[in-house]
């Protein structure tokens, strides 16, 4: 399947390494489908934190016109994405903050996007990851 009609996924973490690792894990479980996924971790200088500029660039890089699901790890990542969405011109149309656990939600979002599902279905699958039981 071509990635030109797939929902894009942006993984926003305070750590570049965490964002990249979760992106690699999720893409590896997508059944060979090349889902547009971009990590947006850390600051421009490589430190811990979040960067509106890195998030916006990641969103632009995965935009295929089918919407973008943004998943975040902790507090200021959420606040930074909410601020970008409120500004209205920094993120592509159809960008949405998804309330989901970071790792499990990312995997669910990417695997669901790989099926060609729309943004609502991708967001629902990621949010449903809150219900995954491990014991």
């Amino acid at each position: 399947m071509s990635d030109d009609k797939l929902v894009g996924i942006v993984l926003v973490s305070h750590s570049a390494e965490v964002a990249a690792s979760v992106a690699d894990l999720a893409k590896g479980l997508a059944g060979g489908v090349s889902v547009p996924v971009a990590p947006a971790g850390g600051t421009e200088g490589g430190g811990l934190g979040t960067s509106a500029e890195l998030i916006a660039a990641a969103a632009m890089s995965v935009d295929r016109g089918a919407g973008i699901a943004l998943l975040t790890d902790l507090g200021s990542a959420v606040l930074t994405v909410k601020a970008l969405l409120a500004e209205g011109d920094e993120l592509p149309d159809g960008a949405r903050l998804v309330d989901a656990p970071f790792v499990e939600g990312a995997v669910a979002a990417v695997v669901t996007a790989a099926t060609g599902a729309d943004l609502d279905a991708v967001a629902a699958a990621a949010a449903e990851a809150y219900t995954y039981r491990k014991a």
Side-chain angles (χ1 to χ4, degrees), residues 9-12 22 69-75 77-78 82 96-110 119-132:
I9 313 290
V10 176
L11 302 175
V12 182
V22 173
L70 294 110
L71 286 83
T72 60
D73 63 357
L74 304 169
V78 176
K82 283 184 176 183
R96 180 187 306 176
L97 174 61
V98 177
D99 184 11
F102 193 63
V103 175
E104 295 91 336
V107 170
V110 171
L119 181 57
D120 288 338
V122 169
E128 186 180 338
Y130 274 128
T131 66
Y132 296 172

Side-chain angles (χ1 to χ4, degrees), residues 36-64:
V37 179
T43 64
E44 289 89 348
L48 293 176
T50 56
S51 163
E53 291 79 15
L54 291 177
I55 296 166
M60 295 297 186
S61 77
V62 299
D63 184 18
R64 305 294 185 274

